[in-house]
Amino acid sequence: MSPRVDEETPLLHEQQNKPKRTPLPWFQFTIVLFLQLAEPLTSQVIYPFTPQLIRDIGITNGDETKVGHYVGLMQSIFFLTQALTVMHWSRISDKIGRKPVILTGLIGLSLSMYCFGLSKTFVGLVLSRSLNGALNGNIGVIKSIMAEMTDSTNISLAYSYMPIAWSSGGVLGPMIGGALARPAEQFPHLFGNSDFLKKYPYFLPCAVPATFSAIAWIVTFFFLKETVRSPISLSQLFRLRKSKANLTLQNVVASQEATAPTEPATSNDLTKTATIPDDEKPVPFRQLFVPRVLIAAGNYACLSLVDIAFRAIQPLYFSTPVELGGLGLPPSRIGNILSMFGLLNGIIQIFFFAKIHDTWGSKLTYTIGIASSVPVFLTFPILTYLVKSSGEVTSLAWAVVAIQVTISIIISFSYGSCPFLPISLLSFLSVVHYSPYHIHVLFLTNLGAVFIYIQGASPNRASLGATNGLCQMSVSICRAIGPAAANSLFSLSMKHHYLGGYLVYVVLLGTSALALGAAALLPNQIRT
C-alpha cells in the first residue's frame, strides 16, 4: 500500500542514495559566467559619477537640492523599462530559444552604454537607460540556461559559481566608473590633449562595459549552444500566431452554420505543436502563481525596495557638498568605496555565507539581513551631524562610513549568494508538482543554491523563462520605484528641511519596518 499523501506531506524527502554528480559542461558554463559579467559591469559603472554627471549637463541650474531628484529618475527608468519587458523576453525565449534573446540583450547593453557616454542632455541619458532596460532580457534567461545545462546532481555546484561574476562586476564596475570619469582632468598627461574626452568626459568609463558587451555578443554568437530543445524561428512564431487566428475565425464561422460541422484547417506548425506533450509546453501565465510563492515574492519585493533605496542614496550622499550635510567626495573616491563594498561582500558571500546560513537558518538569516538596514540608514544622519559640526570629513566620519559599508554587507545575507534571487527567502518557495522534472528536483534536500527552488516552482522546463521572468519583473518594479522615490525625498528633505532635513531617513526606516513585518509572515520552519 502506498503511503498517504496530502497537503501536509513534506515536498522534499530525504535522499536515500545520492547519485553520482554529472560533470558540468565547463566550456558552455564558462561562457555563461562570462556573459553574466556584463550585467553588473553596465549597472555598477555609472554609480560613482552619476551625481556629477547630472551637475555637468546643467539641468539643475546649479541647485544642489535638485541633483538627487534627477539622479533618482535616471536610475529608475532602467528598472521601469526592464519591468515592462523582462517578462516578455523570458517568455519569448521559451519559444524561440535563449540564444537569440541573449544576443539581443547584449547588443542592447553595448549600444545603450555607448549612447550614455555620448549623451549631453538629460533626455539623452533617459533614452539611453530606457534602451538598456527595454532590450535587456538576459537576467532571467541566463538563469534558465544554467538550469537547462545542469541536472539535479550538479545544479548546486553550478550556482555556487555565480557569485564570482556578480562580485567581480560589483568590484570592477565602480572602480572603472570612478577611475575613468573625467579622464582629461584625472590623467592630464595621458588624456589632457584629447578634445573628444574633454567634450565627453564620461564616455571612457561607459565604453569599457560597452565594449565588453560587444565582445560577449561575438562569443555568444559563435560558441554558445542553444539549450531549448525545439526552438522555433521568428517567422515560424508569427506564422503560428496567424494560423491560430485563422483557426479561431474558422471555428466561429463553423459554429454558426446549420450544416454538418466542418473540420478546421490546420497548418504544419500547428500539427507539430499538437504533437508536443502537454508537460513540455509553456503553461498559461496564471498557473505560475502559487500562494506560498506570493508570500515569498512579497518579501522579495520589500527586500529589493530597501536594498535599492540604500544603494541609490549612498553615492548621492557621498557626492553632496559638505555644507549641505554630505561628504563632498569626487567620483574616484566614491568608486573606491563602492568597489571595497563589492570586494568584501564577494569574499563573505563566497567563503562564509553558507556556514552562517546553516547556523542561523533561513528565516533568521533573512530577518537579520533586513534588520541590518536600520543601523545602516541611521548612519546617514549621524554622518550629517558630524560633518556639519566640524565643517569637514573627519577621521570619525570616515570611521562611520566604514561601519556603514561593513553593516550593509549583512543586507546581502537576505539575498544569499546572488543579488537577484535570495536563498534565505526563496528557500520558502514550495516546489510545485507538475512533471517528472519536478519529482527529480524534490530530492535536492541539502543544496544551498537559491535558484533551485525557483526552477522547482516552474511548472515545467518549458516555462523556466516565464518563471524567472516573473520573479525579475517584480524586482524590477520595486527597483523602478526605489531610486526615484528615495532620491527625490532626499532632495526635498534637503531643500525644505522637512524634519530638519531627515525626513528621507524616517521614510527609509519605515520601509525597513515594513520589510520586517513581511518577514514575520514567513514560516518558522522550512518543510523538508
Side-chain angles (χ1 to χ4, degrees):
M1 182 177 178
S2 60
R4 178 173 175 267
V5 179
D6 56 23
E7 66 276 5
E8 299 297 328
T9 304
L11 295 178
L12 298 178
H13 301 281
E14 184 177 358
Q15 186 174 353
Q16 300 296 330
N17 297 314
K18 185 176 181 179
K20 184 179 180 181
R21 175 177 289 170
T22 304
L24 284 174
W26 283 108
F27 181 68
Q28 291 295 305
F29 181 69
T30 304
I31 292 176
V32 173
L33 291 180
F34 178 75
L35 302 181
Q36 197 176 35
L37 183 59
E39 303 287 342
L41 274 181
T42 54
S43 63
Q44 296 291 323
V45 73
I46 69 171
Y47 276 90
F49 62 77
T50 298
Q52 188 60 46
L53 171 60
I54 293 297
R55 297 185 186 102
D56 290 349
I57 63 176
I59 193 171
T60 63
N61 296 317
D63 188 350
E64 279 291 332
T65 63
K66 293 181 180 179
V67 173
H69 173 69
Y70 288 104
V71 169
L73 287 178
M74 190 180 66
Q75 291 173 344
S76 290
I77 196 67
F78 167 82
F79 294 109
L80 177 61
T81 53
Q82 185 184 70
L84 295 175
T85 58
V86 67
M87 184 67 197
H88 300 290
W89 285 119
S90 296
R91 298 203 73 179
I92 288 174
S93 75
D94 287 335
K95 296 180 172 64
I96 68 173
R98 316 297 184 199
K99 189 172 180 177
V101 175
I102 287 180
L103 289 172
T104 303
L106 289 172
I107 198 65
L109 284 177
S110 183
L111 291 176
S112 64
M113 289 306 296
Y114 281 125
C115 292
F116 190 88
L118 294 172
S119 298
K120 300 291 289 184
T121 64
F122 185 73
V123 173
L125 296 175
V126 168
L127 291 177
S128 300
R129 294 302 287 170
S130 299
L131 177 66
N132 193 322
L135 294 181
N136 183 17
N138 291 356
I139 294 176
V141 176
I142 286 179
K143 298 168 193 169
S144 301
I145 285 185
M146 295 191 72
E148 289 165 339
M149 67 170 50
T150 56
D151 57 32
S152 62
T153 65
N154 59 12
I155 189 172
S156 62
L157 176 63
Y159 283 128
S160 69
Y161 286 97
M162 294 189 73
I164 296 176
W166 285 104
S167 297
S168 299
V171 174
L172 295 176
M175 187 179 297
I176 293 169
L180 299 184
R182 306 170 73 95
E185 297 178 11
Q186 292 200 73
F187 309 102
H189 56 290
L190 292 177
F191 305 108
N193 296 325
S194 175
D195 293 333
F196 177 82
L197 291 180
K198 289 180 180 179
K199 184 177 181 180
Y200 302 103
Y202 302 101
F203 176 79
L204 190 58
C206 294
V208 173
T211 304
F212 178 87
S213 298
I215 295 173
W217 189 95
I218 296 174
V219 172
T220 301
F221 183 82
F222 286 105
F223 301 109
L224 184 67
K225 295 181 180 178
E226 181 59 68
T227 57
V228 173
R229 293 180 180 178
S230 301
I232 62 176
S233 65
L234 285 175
S235 59
Q236 288 177 317
L237 179 63
F238 289 127
R239 285 202 304 269
L240 178 62
R241 290 182 176 179
K242 183 177 180 180
S243 299
K244 287 183 177 179
N246 291 337
L247 178 59
T248 301
L249 179 61
Q250 292 175 21
N251 287 337
V252 170
V253 173
S255 65
Q256 295 175 346
E257 294 179 354
T259 58
T262 304
E263 183 178 353
T266 59
S267 67
N268 291 335
D269 291 330
L270 287 174
T271 302
K272 293 178 181 179
T273 304
T275 61
I276 301 176
D278 289 339
D279 62 354
E280 295 183 12
K281 297 179 183 178
V283 302
F285 182 74
R286 63 181 179 274
Q287 291 188 20
L288 297 176
F289 291 89
V290 178
R292 296 184 193 87
V293 175
L294 296 179
I295 294 175
N299 277 271
Y300 193 9
C302 291
L303 169 62
S304 299
L305 185 61
V306 168
D307 183 59
I308 196 63
F310 168 66
R311 307 299 173 196
I313 277 188
Q314 187 184 37
L316 174 62
Y317 179 86
F318 288 163
S319 177
T320 300
V322 172
E323 55 269 20
L324 294 178
L327 301 186
L329 301 180
S332 57
R333 187 69 63 85
I334 297 174
N336 290 338
I337 294 174
L338 299 182
S339 295
M340 183 58 64
F341 164 81
L343 178 62
L344 293 175
N345 185 49
I347 292 173
I348 291 177
Q349 291 288 333
I350 293 174
F351 295 105
F352 300 104
F353 175 77
K355 296 179 180 178
I356 293 172
H357 177 265
D358 291 343
T359 302
W360 291 353
S362 291
K363 184 172 183 178
L364 182 59
T365 303
Y366 174 77
T367 304
I368 289 177
I370 289 291
S372 67
S373 64
V374 174
V376 166
F377 288 142
L378 288 175
T379 56
F380 287 115
I382 293 174
L383 282 170
T384 298
Y385 173 79
L386 292 175
V387 297
K388 282 189 174 182
S389 299
S390 61
E392 61 180 355
V393 183
T394 62
S395 299
L396 182 58
W398 279 115
V400 175
V401 171
I403 293 173
Q404 182 190 78
V405 171
T406 303
I407 299 178
S408 66
I409 294 174
I410 303 177
I411 298 178
S412 300
F413 286 4
S414 295
Y415 282 101
S417 59
C418 176
F420 288 105
L421 291 177
I423 178 173
S424 52
L425 172 56
L426 294 181
S427 292
F428 293 111
L429 292 178
S430 297
V431 181
V432 183
H433 299 266
Y434 283 96
S435 69
Y437 161 67
H438 293 91
I439 303 300
H440 201 46
V441 172
L442 291 179
F443 290 101
L444 306 177
T445 57
N446 295 317
L447 303 178
V450 317
F451 300 95
I452 295 171
Y453 294 94
I454 283 293
Q455 315 310 334
S458 173
N460 52 39
R461 278 190 177 272
S463 300
L464 278 174
T467 305
N468 283 314
L470 177 63
C471 293
Q472 189 57 45
M473 182 178 66
S474 64
V475 172
S476 296
I477 291 173
C478 289
R479 288 179 171 172
I481 297 172
N487 286 355
S488 294
L489 270 175
F490 180 86
S491 293
L492 290 174
S493 301
M494 188 167 52
K495 183 175 183 178
H496 300 288
H497 300 285
Y498 292 134
L499 295 181
Y502 298 139
L503 174 64
V504 59
Y505 308 122
V506 174
V507 174
L508 291 177
L509 289 171
T511 60
S512 297
L514 177 65
L516 286 171
L521 300 177
L522 292 169
N524 292 320
Q525 297 292 333
I526 303 176
R527 303 198 306 170
T528 57

